[in-house]
Amino acid sequence: MNKLIVLSGPSGVGKGTIVKQLLKRGGYALSVSCTTRSPREGEKEGVSYFFITERKFGEMAEKGGFLEYSRHFGHGYGTPKAFVEKQLVNHDVILEIEVDGALQVKKAYPDALLIMIVPPDEEELKARLIKRGSETSQSIAERLSRNAYELSKRPFYDYTVVNDDLQTAVEEIDGIIKSSKK
């Protein structure tokens, strides 16, 4: 039986990097989310996101077409149920989503495995956000503020993994997933 895996954690904790490492191991598929925002440079339809209209988003939400959905910065984001269910036939499916969406998924799929990825400490997280070089100081402050909220949801997760060493975190997560299937 393939597993639905949800990875969440504060911005800058390394979720995307961990997911890329897990996908290289094989046997995993990454869920592609829908969004109503326009594609950014380099983003590809069906790979980065499914870019849909506000109308289509509303219809999918109304008809139960999302495992979870929310609105951020004026745009809709959601995990398409049919896409995930199709992927689950052949693979464990990873959703890299924020905590509110993760809790929606757990409610709909109680067997989903929720893993919270956390930094070794807040100073390290702040340093990682600064090192990205893509954030303004205001944006970093907003993300750190949001991070406190995200971390407050840890008790609702099945596991917490500290990402202080990438390979160790990837090994730990891969082990958690494999042992959850036994």
Side-chain angles (χ1 to χ4, degrees):
M1 179 76 172
N2 291 317
K3 202 80 171 156
L4 184 59
I5 303 130
V6 178
L7 297 180
S8 302
S11 183
V13 80
K15 297 179 298 290
T17 305
I18 288 170
V19 167
K20 285 177 189 161
Q21 294 294 314
L22 289 168
L23 292 174
K24 285 180 185 177
R25 291 171 178 244
Y28 295 111
L30 179 63
S31 174
V32 178
S33 295
C34 294
T35 184
T36 60
R37 73 165 173 74
S38 298
R40 293 182 183 135
E41 189 175 327
E43 289 183 330
K44 293 182 172 49
E45 171 68 25
V47 177
S48 308
Y49 285 96
F50 294 111
F51 296 97
I52 62 176
T53 64
E54 283 287 344
R55 182 176 177 189
K56 173 83 171 165
F57 188 89
E59 289 171 1
M60 287 179 72
E62 190 176 299
K63 294 178 180 172
F66 292 119
L67 290 179
E68 58 82 31
Y69 66 94
S70 61
R71 292 199 158 274
H72 301 287
F73 310 111
H75 298 289
Y77 294 87
T79 303
K81 188 186 246 179
F83 178 82
V84 170
E85 289 174 347
K86 184 177 178 184
Q87 295 298 314
L88 275 170
V89 171
N90 297 311
H91 306 280
D92 292 320
V93 177
I94 300 171
L95 278 66
E96 181 190 337
I97 57 177
E98 51 81 41
V99 294
D100 294 328
L103 298 178
Q104 288 178 46
V105 169
K106 189 70 166 180
K107 189 179 267 187
Y109 287 81
D111 289 341
L113 181 64
L114 272 59
I115 302 172
M116 171 77 71
I117 303 168
V118 299
D121 57 56
E122 193 170 329
E123 285 306 309
E124 174 64 21
L125 188 62
K126 186 175 181 179
R128 289 179 190 181
L129 287 171
I130 292 168
K131 188 177 178 183
R132 275 184 181 175
S134 62
E135 311 286 337
T136 64
S137 57
Q138 180 182 346
S139 171
I140 290 170
E142 288 170 3
R143 289 185 183 276
L144 289 172
S145 170
R146 170 74 183 173
N147 291 348
Y149 171 75
E150 296 228 349
L151 291 172
S152 77
K153 301 299 182 186
R154 276 170 75 171
F156 300 103
Y157 278 68
D158 300 304
Y159 294 91
T160 298
V161 173
V162 177
N163 184 16
D164 56 356
D165 175 78
L166 177 63
Q167 287 312 313
T168 301
V170 170
E171 289 294 330
E172 187 175 349
I173 292 167
D174 193 43
I176 287 168
I177 295 165
K178 285 181 170 58
S179 69
S180 76
K181 294 174 72 169
K182 292 180 181 175

